[in-house]
């Protein structure tokens, strides 16, 4: 069974405003596809890039690191600029939330909505995410035991990339004061309490005059799916329409 990397999503709207939607680490465009559709129905142009390697077997996923994924985000931002949008906003979940912050530190974004963004990440947590991703892909591909082991062994050689990942998070947190965009920082109360603490830290350190910190009682880590998703989606829609 061959698996192709998911394609980026581009939904043109009638407003003169565009929103960049960014998915999670080990996720795909499906993380934010429904949210993009709802925002597009409200007239916003929405662009959802898929990070290199995401949606592919673990052996191909681990050929890339956070810098490759960041370059895809930069390209997506410039794509919207080249399309003529002068008012660009961004939203993202988990790694997508971190990239949203990093964009706002470097470019003039109108609004940002940041979901489930960590202010730090242990090496073991990143490796655990990779393990879960690898297990899921191995099941989809129906690999035999030998092939499964070969796929999972690639994690052992990803230590340097994990360290790069951690350094990028540290860099984002150091530069939060550069952010002046109107901001909404969101977290799920069913997520690890680390994310509530991270949300408070981000809220306290961004330099926005207009900012909001919101918690959602029914939401877990991937706030754009599962229980409580309707409240999250409506909150983000109203934030961008405000």
């Amino acid at each position: 069974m061959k698996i192709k990397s998911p394609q980026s999503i581009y939904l043109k709207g009638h407003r003169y405003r565009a929103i960049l939607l960014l998915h999670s680490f080990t996720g795909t465009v499906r993380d934010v596809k429904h949210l993009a559709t709802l925002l597009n129905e409200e007239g916003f142009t929405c662009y959802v890039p898929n990070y290199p390697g995401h949606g592919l077997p673990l052996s191909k996923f681990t050929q890339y690191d956070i810098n490759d994924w960041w370059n895809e985000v930069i390209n997506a931002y410039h794509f919207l600029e080249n399309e003529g949008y002068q008012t660009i906003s961004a939203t993202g979940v988990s790694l997508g939330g971190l990239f949203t912050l990093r964009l706002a530190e470097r470019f003039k974004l109108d609004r940002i909505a940041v979901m489930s963004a960590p202010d730090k990440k242990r090496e073991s947590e990143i490796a655990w995410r990779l393990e879960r991703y690898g297990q899921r892909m191995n099941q989809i591909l129906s690999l035999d035991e030998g092939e499964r082991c070969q796929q999972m062994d690639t994690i052992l050689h990803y230590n340097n990339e994990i360290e790069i990942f951690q350094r990028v998070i540290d860099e984002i947190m150091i530069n939060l004061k550069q952010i002046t965009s109107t901001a909404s920082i969101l977290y799920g109360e069913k997520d690890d309490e680390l994310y509530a603490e991270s949300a408070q830290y981000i809220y306290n350190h961004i330099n926005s005059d207009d900012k909001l910190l919101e918690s959602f009682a029914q939401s877990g880590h991937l706030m754009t799916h599962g229980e409580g998703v309707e409240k999250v989606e409506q909150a983000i829609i109203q934030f961008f329409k405000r």
Side-chain angles (χ1 to χ4, degrees):
M1 179 180 177
K2 291 185 178 180
I3 294 181
K4 293 182 179 180
S5 182
Q7 296 296 306
S8 298
I9 299 169
Y10 183 38
L11 306 173
K12 296 193 74 170
H14 60 75
R15 294 176 183 256
Y16 295 105
R17 295 169 63 190
I19 302 174
L20 191 57
L21 293 96
L22 305 172
H23 66 76
S24 68
F25 175 58
T26 71
T28 68
V29 293
R30 288 185 289 273
D31 287 353
V32 289
K33 182 179 180 180
H34 190 255
L35 177 59
T37 301
L38 294 178
L39 286 165
N40 180 246
E41 289 173 356
E42 296 292 337
F44 295 98
T45 289
C46 295
Y47 189 66
V48 188
N50 196 80
Y51 313 146
H54 283 65
L56 297 179
L58 188 59
S59 59
K60 293 186 177 179
F61 182 101
T62 52
Q63 292 176 17
Y64 303 95
D65 64 22
I66 194 169
N67 290 320
D68 299 305
W69 310 329
W70 171 243
N71 286 337
E72 188 68 26
V73 173
I74 291 289
N75 291 339
Y77 175 81
H78 289 313
F79 170 79
L80 290 174
E81 273 193 325
N82 293 335
E83 287 288 287
Y85 294 98
Q86 296 181 344
T87 302
I88 300 174
S89 297
T91 184
V93 58
S94 194
L95 176 59
L98 289 171
F99 281 156
T100 296
L101 292 169
R102 201 179 197 195
L103 273 175
E105 290 171 355
R106 301 186 180 203
F107 300 98
K108 187 179 183 302
L109 296 182
D110 182 48
R111 290 170 180 266
I112 58 171
V114 178
M115 296 173 275
S116 305
D119 65 344
K120 53 186 167 294
K121 205 77 167 159
R122 292 189 296 271
E123 180 179 339
S124 58
E125 291 176 302
I126 299 172
W128 179 75
R129 292 277 179 191
L130 287 172
E131 287 173 11
R132 288 195 63 188
Y133 177 83
Q135 290 165 358
R136 188 168 71 246
M137 294 304 301
N138 289 345
Q139 288 179 341
I140 291 171
L141 291 166
S142 300
L143 300 182
D144 63 33
E145 187 61 30
E147 292 170 323
R148 288 171 184 251
C149 290
Q150 283 184 332
Q151 289 289 325
M152 300 305 287
D153 282 349
T154 61
I155 298 174
L156 301 175
H157 307 289
Y158 205 68
N159 289 340
N160 184 58
E161 288 78 4
I162 289 176
E163 291 178 8
I164 294 170
F165 197 135
Q166 292 173 305
R167 288 200 297 270
V168 168
I169 295 176
D170 291 342
E171 177 194 309
I172 292 168
M173 294 304 128
I174 288 170
N175 290 298
L176 288 175
K177 61 183 179 297
Q178 304 296 330
I179 297 176
T180 58
S181 307
T182 298
S184 177
I185 312 300
L186 306 87
Y187 69 92
E189 293 180 19
K190 290 187 176 180
D191 199 359
D192 189 298
E193 65 181 29
L194 157 73
Y195 290 90
E197 296 168 3
S198 296
Q200 186 68 61
Y201 181 89
I202 292 165
Y203 175 82
N204 289 344
H205 287 82
I206 59 176
N207 211 17
S208 307
D209 292 329
D210 186 0
K211 58 184 178 179
L212 180 66
L213 178 64
E214 296 185 90
S215 67
F216 293 82
Q218 295 179 305
S219 296
H221 184 68
L222 190 60
M223 300 180 72
T224 51
H225 282 266
E227 193 175 3
V229 64
E230 294 86 0
K231 289 185 177 179
V232 172
E233 289 175 334
Q234 287 307 309
I236 290 176
I237 290 167
Q238 292 307 314
F239 171 73
F240 284 119
K241 287 177 64 179
R242 198 177 71 191

